[in-house]
Amino acid sequence: EVKTRLAEAVPDAAEFYAAMLRDVLRLAEICAAQCNARASVFYTPHDAFDDREDSLRHFWQGEKQPQGEGDLGARMLRCLNEVSSTHIVLIGSDSPDLPPEYLNRGFEKLCDHDLVFGPARDGGFYLIGASRKVPDEIFQNVAWSSPQTLEQVLNNVQKLQLRAAQLPPWDDVDTPRDLRQLNTRLQNDPQRAPHCARWMRENLGL
């Protein structure tokens, strides 16, 4: 499954999404090595790693666990609260050229904050991290995939009197416009997301 706004405009969008996933997994492994952390995949649907043609087994052989049921907030809460780790940082599969230092800084911020967020320029967030159990209320009354998503989460954080830090903003890839911006960023340094750079070069002539 891929994002509908990309699928409607990009030929073979599933192949591009596969390239993004490979680059994000590469990024996670780089960060894990730099931060002495563990890289783990939280996946959906529950059978995504079964033995089939489109299995995620082709992408990842490391630590993994299913996201479970519920909306995005419920699944993120489960990821944040069920991992046996002092500090955890989550990123999505749609920020393939996110600088590794942003993840490193996320872990650093958690040394003296309860939460850390990486704001996306579309109003959401590309990263969330926690150094403690996250209350269920943090994602209550949040409109996902809206320009107010992060603002609403931060309002809940303030009400809960939690200490939150923010990283520099970054763009995830949701739309054809985001794809063009990704290509611009990769022109000078394709190794930031080599699988995406190769796919765009071979399929879009970018």
Side-chain angles (χ1 to χ4, degrees), residues 117-162:
F117 293 91
R121 293 188 177 94
D122 62 4
F125 50 92
Y126 62 82
L127 175 152
I128 180 174
S131 62
R132 49 156 289 169
K133 181 176 175 60
V134 180
D136 294 351
E137 294 83 356
I138 191 174
F139 294 139
Q140 285 185 355
N141 301 315
V142 171
W144 298 108
S145 301
S146 82
Q148 290 78 42
T149 297
L150 179 57
E151 178 183 357
Q152 292 170 344
V153 173
L154 291 177
N155 286 339
N156 290 338
V157 168
Q158 186 175 17
K159 292 175 184 176
L160 293 165
Q161 298 183 328
L162 299 173

Side-chain angles (χ1 to χ4, degrees), residues 76-83 88 130 132-136:
M76 283 196 295
L77 271 174
R78 194 173 296 115
C79 296
L80 290 167
N81 288 336
E82 292 189 1
V83 174
I88 179 170
R132 49 156 289 169
K133 181 176 175 60
V134 180
D136 294 351

